[in-house]
Amino acid sequence: MVLQSCTLKLNPFSILKPLSKFQTTLNPISQHFHYRSRPLPLLVRALSSSSSSSAAASPDESKVVKGTQWKAAVDFKWIRDNKEAVAVNIKNRNSNANLDLVLQLYDKLLNVQKEVERLRSERNIVANKMKGKLEHSERLKLIEEGKNIKERLVSLEEDLLKLTDELQQDAQCVPNMTHPDVPSGGEDCSAVRKVVGKPREFSFSIKDHVQLGKDLNLFDFDAAAEVSGSKFYYLKNEAVLLEIGLVNWAVSEVMKKGFTPLTTPEIVRSSVVEKCGFQPRGTNTQVYSIEGTDQCLIGTAEIPVGGIHMDSILTESSLPLKYVAYSHCFRTEAGAAGAATRPEESDSFHEELIGIEEDLFSSLGLHFKIIDMATEDLGAPAYRKFDIEAWMPGLGRYGEISSASNCTDYQSRRLGIRYRPESSSLSNSKKGKLGNAAQTQFVHTLNATACAVPRMIVCLLENYQQEDGSVVIPEPLRPFMGGLQIIAPKI
């Protein structure tokens, strides 16, 4: 089944810059994603912390918070039965997950479970014997035997709880599996999937977005630095209209694709952040936690959107679920969003998401390339991730403006999002195994960026600048900016 969503978000380092993303939820499979973009100057750096504009915040998979209160439905048997493939996947992703320890803990847990079950059976036998007529000495013997069994059970059940917690903590470091077509290696090994358009040729000396913003009175970094610190900014005049126009344009366009619009809570429980594959209190966390509480500021709308259907069973007929969500984004770096569907459909919905992104950016006349990110640049939840990098002529290079990730069932196993297959969609063999479709399956979740507002502002200013210092507004945005066609220098 599929659940998709589009979200608009804002940066942690900026004054809540809106970004747009779309997100989907699908059936089984598990993976991870993350992308480190090179630092961008000034406004780009200031805006790069918004989830839809920059790289997805990478989960700190090597630092799992201890004392986890929730349990992920990890398929330990599958991991054990496919340990060679899992080991290769961990190596290819350059993950710190300790597969040997996970398997050792799992085997130990199975052995303790068997012993607990054996003792419970013996306890029942003793209890049944006590119901009959017995000699006094025989009754005393059974009472003593029952006490011994109880003591051993108490000890083993405590061991079982500890083993379960330890196994959960270590297993949560294991990343999702990887799509077979994903390039192996680091960022340099990522493959260009498609190039759209050509760089604009200028007949005059061009400016970067910072100079354009100063000349056109669009930004105020100095006042923001006094009020909030470095890397913050005020948008002014037409830049405000551009930001609002981008948000409304992106939401409007994605709604045409059948997505339901949402605004989301911007504070969530830490457990929801963890279930989405992020570590809010790890050493290298990008999440802002609220001191003295179990809550965090969201770094991406992917988190609250994923939580909408947490611990629920969806009907197959309701899938795919598609959302376009708008939120502020609070984080020290970059981020992403998500969606949901059935397992066999997640690849096709991933193509749908990247197709929507391509249509959006093409309609604005941008030159960009779509990149199939390599294994070491995937975050823990991502099975596969495509990044979109647009040409920024003032900076003289490409910069990431969007991404789209298929997380298969990695997040849904943690969030507890399932669906109940309809009997008509099952083969005869599966019908028997599932007991008339009574058994549920995990959905697959996907996420993508519809519009990273700060990066888009950078792209538009630099690509649409004119020789007289003005900036032309692309036609698709004009209806969302009160008909404004050009940002001209103030006299």
Side-chain angles (χ1 to χ4, degrees), residues 128-400:
N128 287 332
K129 287 182 179 179
M130 292 286 289
K131 295 176 183 178
K133 292 183 179 181
L134 298 169
E135 294 292 334
H136 180 66
S137 59
E138 184 65 21
R139 183 172 295 277
L140 290 177
K141 182 179 178 181
L142 288 174
I143 290 174
E144 184 64 24
E145 185 179 352
K147 286 176 59 179
N148 292 336
I149 292 174
K150 181 179 179 180
E151 291 174 357
R152 291 163 64 192
L153 264 177
V154 169
S155 177
L156 282 176
E157 286 171 345
E158 289 179 355
D159 291 343
L160 193 60
L161 288 174
K162 292 177 182 178
L163 275 172
T164 300
D165 286 342
E166 190 175 353
L167 179 59
Q168 277 284 326
Q169 291 163 5
D170 286 294
Q172 286 170 27
C173 295
V174 177
N176 197 354
M177 296 301 290
T178 307
H179 191 287
D181 293 339
V182 170
S184 182
E187 181 181 350
D188 293 342
C189 297
S190 297
V192 175
R193 192 173 191 244
K194 186 176 183 179
V195 176
V196 178
K198 295 180 179 180
R200 177 187 169 189
E201 295 182 0
F202 294 87
S203 59
F204 55 90
S205 179
I206 62 175
K207 305 174 184 177
D208 64 21
H209 61 282
V210 176
Q211 189 60 51
L212 287 164
K214 289 181 178 179
D215 293 347
L216 296 171
N217 196 22
L218 301 177
F219 313 140
D220 190 334
F221 291 102
D222 295 336
E226 292 296 324
V227 172
S228 304
S230 63
K231 297 186 178 180
F232 287 83
Y233 59 90
Y234 285 101
L235 292 186
K236 300 169 60 178
N237 300 314
E238 292 92 338
V240 177
L241 300 181
L242 181 56
E243 175 182 285
I244 295 172
L246 282 167
V247 171
N248 289 330
W249 164 75
V251 172
S252 176
E253 289 300 307
V254 178
M255 284 178 62
K256 294 176 184 178
K257 307 291 185 180
F259 287 72
T260 300
L262 292 176
T263 59
T264 72
E266 295 179 345
I267 295 177
V268 297
R269 299 184 188 279
S270 299
S271 59
V272 179
V273 177
E274 294 168 0
K275 290 174 183 179
C276 288
F278 302 87
Q279 291 303 329
R281 304 184 194 280
T283 303
N284 298 318
T285 184
Q286 295 173 331
V287 178
Y288 287 105
S289 296
I290 301 174
E291 187 175 0
T293 74
D294 70 339
Q295 296 173 316
C296 302
L297 297 176
I298 63 169
T300 164
E302 170 185 354
I303 295 169
V305 171
I308 289 180
H309 300 289
M310 183 169 61
D311 299 324
S312 61
I313 299 176
L314 308 171
T315 60
E316 183 174 16
S317 59
S318 70
L319 298 174
L321 296 172
K322 300 182 178 183
Y323 298 108
V324 51
Y326 170 82
S327 77
H328 295 94
C329 297
F330 305 88
R331 63 173 152 219
T332 60
E333 282 300 335
T341 181
R342 287 176 303 192
E344 65 274 13
E345 298 175 337
S346 59
D347 282 343
S348 64
F349 279 100
H350 197 193
E351 294 293 337
E352 176 184 345
L353 293 182
I354 196 67
I356 292 174
E357 291 176 324
E358 182 179 340
D359 290 345
L360 289 172
F361 306 139
S362 295
S363 71
L364 294 180
L366 298 178
H367 164 53
F368 58 90
K369 54 186 179 180
I370 302 173
I371 302 171
D372 195 351
M373 301 308 294
T375 53
E376 292 182 19
D377 252 15
L378 298 178
Y383 175 62
R384 192 177 196 180
K385 182 166 81 87
F386 299 125
D387 277 0
I388 292 183
E389 295 185 353
W391 179 246
M392 300 178 179
L395 298 176
R397 65 175 178 80
Y398 292 91
E400 182 192 346

